[in-house]
């Protein structure tokens, strides 16, 4: 992988790679993505192989405008437009009926497609210059931690990606919220960068999918996911000899003190786990508060701590 500062020339080079059917590591506001031309079935096959991801786990398609939705969706529900207007560009992925011309590999054979418009200038420039919607899962190997900085990229991914654009640390730090609009009421499939509360306020009604219950029908949402190599255990309070993440005064030298604000905590979570991963057989994490605004953080911690 040629690692590049995202100058206009570098983004043009990455866009050329996308048009050639190659893979590019792309920064977004949530996590780094492994990007490929969503309309090129061979590029999509290469993408699944690079991640070691089962081909029935559908990908998220990234668009550069609301107009581009019509290229990947067979029908754009009025609600999708309303939510796009309110939350795009941003960390909200909408599941809508799939366009017949979109290769079925992208959606793992489903008749729906997950779409979002990322809130990152480099990603938007790359989509615009490539002239095609971009499929991008998180740029990690299957079941491993998502990257929130370019130096988190796994060597096996770096080997197959042609270009990596260094957009600095991701500001949101956890993946997008996935919302299924093919059912009524819409169902929250994955908590993420946009909170359940913000969605409910925009919709004026509660969502299906109870908090903490996990996704009901999002293929590829294995219960163990986002997992570090060390095992992870959630505790009330860290002991001085334990390696991990705390919310209170840190007592040990291998303890990261995490922010008490949920958005700042999320922005730092994967970076802290990447830094500590492998330094001890078990990492300990102090339980964050239970409030609704902690839903995405709790979701990632629960998945990372599910026994193998
Ligand atoms: O923040 C993000 O969304 C990042 C950045 C790179 O944009 N991408 C990301 O992609 O997290 P990935 O592939 O790691 O996660 C895709 C999620 C999975 O949970 C998958 O089950 C769900 O989206 N998904 C994709 N297509 C779907 C569909 N048609 N129906 C239901 N869930 C879908
Ligand atoms: Mg992922």
């Amino acid at each position: 992988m040629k690692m590049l500062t995202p100058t206009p020339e570098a983004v043009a080079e990455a866009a050329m790679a996308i048009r050639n059917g190659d893979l590019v590591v792309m920064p977004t506001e949530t996590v780094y993505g492994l990007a490929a031309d969503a309309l090129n079935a061979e590029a999509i096959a290469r993408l699944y192989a690079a991640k070691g991801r089962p081909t029935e786990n559908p990908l998220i398609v990234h668009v550069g405008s609301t107009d581009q939705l019509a290229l990947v969706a067979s029908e754009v529900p009025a609600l999708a437009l309303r939510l796009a207007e309110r939350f795009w560009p941003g960390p909200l992925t909408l599941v809508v009926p799939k366009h017949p011309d979109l290769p079925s590999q992208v959606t793992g054979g489903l008749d729906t497609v997950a779409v979002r418009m990322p809130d990152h200038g480099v990603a938007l420039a790359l989509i615009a210059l490539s002239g095609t919607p971009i499929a991008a899962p998180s740029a990690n190997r299957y079941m491993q931690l998502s990257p929130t900085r370019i130096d988190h990229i796994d060597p096996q991914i770096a080997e197959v990606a042609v270009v990596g654009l260094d957009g600095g640390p991701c500001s949101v730090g956890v993946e997008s919220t996935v919302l299924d609009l093919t059912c009524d009421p819409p169902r929250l499939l994955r908590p993420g960068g946009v909170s359940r509360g913000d969605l409910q306020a925009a919709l004026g009604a509660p969502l299906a999918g109870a908090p903490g219950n996990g996704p009901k029908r999002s293929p590829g949402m294995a219960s163990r996911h986002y997992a570090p190599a060390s095992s992870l255990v959630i505790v009330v309070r860290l002991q001085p000899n334990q390696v991990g993440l705390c919310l209170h005064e840190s007592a040990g030298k291998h303890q990261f003190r995490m922010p008490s604000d949920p958005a700042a905590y999320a922005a730092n979570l994967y970076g802290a786990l990447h830094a500590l991963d492998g330094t001890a057989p078990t990492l300990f994490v102090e339980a964050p508060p239970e409030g609704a605004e902690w839903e995405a953080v709790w979701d990632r911690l629960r998945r990372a701590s599910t026994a193998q």
Side-chain angles (χ1 to χ4, degrees):
M1 178 172 86
K2 195 161 145 190
M3 207 169 347
L4 298 174
T5 302
T7 59
E9 296 73 28
V11 178
E13 185 175 337
M16 184 71 84
I18 295 284
R19 282 201 299 272
N20 284 340
D22 286 326
L23 306 180
V24 166
V25 170
M26 164 180 90
T28 82
E29 81 282 29
T30 58
V31 300
Y32 276 76
L34 185 60
D37 180 351
L39 303 180
N40 179 337
E42 278 173 32
I44 298 303
R46 208 166 291 139
L47 204 165
Y48 277 101
K51 271 190 68 96
R53 169 166 168 147
T55 52
E56 64 271 19
N57 290 10
L59 307 174
I60 292 176
V61 177
H62 297 68
V63 293
S65 66
T66 306
D67 290 348
Q68 258 188 349
L69 253 176
L71 289 177
V72 298
S74 63
E75 166 203 333
V76 181
L79 191 53
L81 287 178
R82 220 173 91 204
L83 291 171
E85 171 95 0
R86 166 74 180 77
F87 294 104
W88 285 4
L92 176 64
T93 295
L94 302 173
V95 175
V96 293
K98 169 193 171 296
H99 195 289
D101 294 347
L102 184 71
S104 61
Q105 289 87 340
V106 173
T107 62
L110 296 177
D111 55 7
T112 55
V113 60
V115 196
R116 81 179 193 100
M117 179 174 168
D119 188 15
H120 197 293
V122 175
L124 292 173
L126 181 63
I127 297 165
L129 280 180
S130 304
T132 181
I134 286 183
S138 49
N140 52 286
R141 296 274 299 165
Y142 181 56
M143 303 274 262
Q144 295 184 357
L145 273 176
S146 297
T148 53
R149 307 167 60 101
I150 195 110
D151 48 291
H152 293 156
I153 301 294
D154 184 278
Q156 282 178 280
I157 301 271
E159 206 166 297
V160 288
V162 173
V163 176
L165 296 172
D166 183 359
C170 301
S171 58
V172 174
V174 291
E175 296 83 349
S176 61
T177 302
V178 180
L179 184 68
D180 188 354
L181 294 182
T182 66
C183 48
D184 189 20
R187 180 178 292 276
L188 190 68
L189 298 177
R190 176 176 76 179
V194 170
S195 74
R196 176 186 295 270
D198 287 346
L199 286 173
Q200 291 182 159
L203 294 167
L207 297 171
N213 259 3
K216 288 293 183 297
R217 54 184 199 94
S218 199
M221 294 289 290
S223 67
R224 181 175 168 86
H225 203 158
Y226 313 107
S230 305
S231 61
L232 195 146
V233 173
I234 299 171
V235 295
V236 173
R237 201 69 188 251
L238 286 191
Q239 302 302 310
N241 61 337
Q242 291 174 332
V243 175
L245 313 182
C246 57
L247 278 159
H248 305 95
E249 189 92 21
S250 73
K253 68 179 165 129
H254 299 295
Q255 299 183 355
F256 271 43
R257 182 154 186 191
M258 298 297 285
S260 55
D261 166 69
Y265 188 110
N268 286 283
L269 176 60
Y270 289 146
L273 291 177
H274 272 286
L276 293 177
D277 195 17
T279 62
T282 304
L283 304 181
F284 295 87
V285 178
E286 282 183 358
E290 289 287 345
E293 65 281 19
W294 290 89
E295 190 178 3
V297 164
W298 263 113
D299 174 78
R300 302 314 186 269
L301 289 178
R302 278 199 194 95
R303 286 175 201 289
S305 64
T306 301
Q308 247 168 333

